[in-house]
Amino acid sequence: MGSGSYPVENIFVSSIWRQRLDQLGIDAAGFVLKKKGPVCFALTRHDYLFDFEKWPDTAAEMLLEADIVIGKKLLPELMPTDILKKSIVWQCSVAPYINLKNPKPFHKRAMSDIARCTRNFTKEYGQPALDLAGEQERVEWFNGWTAFDIANRASKGQKSIFLAPDIKDVFSKWITQGPLPEWMNLFRLKAGDHTLCYALAYVWDGVFYFLLPAINSNERFHSFGIGKIFVQKLIDWSVQQNLGIFDFLQGGEAYKFDWNPEVRPLYQYEIPLTRLGRLALMARRIQLRLRSKKIIK
């Protein structure tokens, strides 16, 4: 993909993604059931593995155990025309990305701040540099990545997804077992003996998919903006690799907008399968409108 235009097919719905799931015996097909009060919801299985999901097909109608089927992180250009009647489709999030072949100008103040932080950090601790973990380092990388995420989120009063043993086990299998795919990249930012950041990244069909960064929570590094230094170095790496897109993926976190990205909307569908589901969705539609959420169906 040399033009920098965003491809319609993404890695999360590609054949290589399915091959990896099959190879590791991870069943990501279908849905899991969860109850909230009297209403039973069907949610995409292992949805934390996917940053873009598939729109529903007729299989959703066959899941009679649920009152409502929910899918998230959906791209509008892949929306089917035959979404079931009385369903809700609404914009739930955004996915910022940079067109590396024709980028909009980055924000000067943000870039100046990153350059200043890099100079100051280098004086104090040495030049920060990217590092890629190899086949034999995957377990060590995984343990460091999850530990950083747990500690960093705890410092902000948040909970890491890795505190859930089932989620951590699936990610462990995904990253540390089987041959390391050429499209899976285990990045670190290091300076001397210090590991500053981790990020899981996929590189496929000209796109850099930036997932789940984990930042060193040590207070002595806070003033240096190491997370933004990390992102800038990954963007520079992507340019050097002649990639067309740097995708920040789902979420409107403020730091992503320092690079003045393009923004793709992401949608969520909610399909009622029972009378209780239809009643619940009527109330849900009112709730979304009161919250000024964009409902397109």
Side-chain angles (χ1 to χ4, degrees):
M1 188 194 68
S3 68
S5 59
Y6 208 105
V8 173
E9 185 178 16
N10 63 76
I11 193 171
F12 303 99
V13 297
S14 68
S15 60
I16 64 165
W17 190 269
R18 172 52 56 189
Q19 289 167 7
R20 178 72 176 166
L21 291 170
D22 292 344
Q23 179 186 57
L24 298 176
I26 299 175
D27 179 12
F31 302 88
V32 293
L33 301 179
K34 294 186 178 181
K35 293 204 73 172
K36 185 174 181 180
V39 182
C40 182
F41 295 91
L43 306 172
T44 305
R45 190 184 305 276
H46 300 319
D47 62 348
Y48 46 83
L49 272 181
F50 302 81
D51 253 66
F52 301 135
E53 296 182 12
K54 289 185 177 182
W55 288 87
D57 54 27
T58 54
E61 299 177 78
M62 306 303 294
L63 197 68
L64 300 180
E65 299 90 344
D67 298 302
I68 297 175
V69 179
I70 294 178
K72 304 176 182 179
K73 299 175 284 188
L74 300 154
L75 295 168
E77 61 266 31
L78 301 180
M79 186 187 304
T81 58
D82 59 345
I83 292 289
L84 298 180
K85 291 182 179 180
K86 299 184 179 179
S87 63
I88 294 178
V89 179
W90 59 285
Q91 184 179 331
C92 64
S93 187
V94 294
Y97 72 93
I98 302 170
N99 182 336
L100 297 173
K101 299 297 183 180
N102 188 27
K104 295 192 294 183
F106 298 162
H107 293 306
K108 290 184 179 180
R109 173 179 275 184
M111 297 304 102
S112 176
D113 185 56
I114 290 171
R116 177 184 57 79
C117 285
T118 302
R119 291 193 300 269
N120 291 342
F121 185 92
T122 300
K123 290 177 184 178
E124 188 77 20
Y125 297 104
Q127 179 70 44
L130 289 182
D131 172 72
L132 272 169
E135 186 95 27
Q136 305 305 316
E137 302 172 286
R138 285 187 288 171
V139 173
E140 176 189 354
W141 184 94
F142 178 80
N143 290 336
W145 177 54
T146 53
F148 268 30
D149 189 75
I150 291 169
N152 189 47
R153 292 186 185 277
S155 70
K156 300 174 182 177
Q158 304 169 357
K159 288 186 177 181
S160 167
I161 61 171
F162 300 121
L163 292 175
D166 56 334
I167 294 179
K168 187 174 182 179
D169 288 347
V170 169
F171 268 112
S172 177
K173 181 182 286 189
W174 181 251
I175 290 168
T176 69
Q177 296 186 22
L180 182 64
E182 62 179 11
W183 45 266
M184 184 182 292
N185 295 264
L186 310 179
F187 280 102
R188 294 175 288 210
L189 183 68
K190 288 188 168 185
D193 295 331
H194 302 293
T195 299
L196 307 173
C197 308
Y198 292 88
L200 174 63
Y202 307 134
V203 178
W204 181 75
D205 195 24
V207 180
F208 185 105
Y209 297 92
F210 179 54
L211 291 96
L212 296 171
I215 313 300
N216 192 321
S217 60
N218 193 313
E219 290 185 0
R220 62 178 167 165
F221 299 135
H222 283 186
S223 63
F224 294 103
I226 55 175
K228 292 183 180 181
I229 294 173
F230 188 32
V231 172
Q232 184 59 53
K233 288 190 174 296
L234 291 172
I235 291 171
D236 292 342
W237 183 91
S238 300
V239 172
Q240 293 164 10
Q241 300 299 311
N242 199 32
L243 301 179
I245 298 290
F246 186 97
D247 197 332
F248 288 102
L249 294 174
Q250 65 150 334
E253 293 87 348
Y255 79 88
K256 297 178 181 180
F257 293 88
D258 286 342
W259 288 270
N260 196 21
E262 307 287 345
V263 178
R264 307 171 88 189
L266 293 180
Y267 288 90
Q268 177 167 319
Y269 71 78
E270 302 177 25
I271 301 174
L273 302 181
T274 65
R275 184 174 181 274
L276 177 59
R278 289 190 291 274
L279 290 172
L281 225 55
M282 287 174 61
R284 174 74 162 151
R285 188 184 295 271
I286 294 171
Q287 179 189 49
L288 289 171
R289 283 177 173 162
L290 289 173
R291 291 165 57 189
S292 300
K293 296 294 184 180
K294 183 179 179 182
I295 302 174
I296 63 172
K297 190 173 181 65

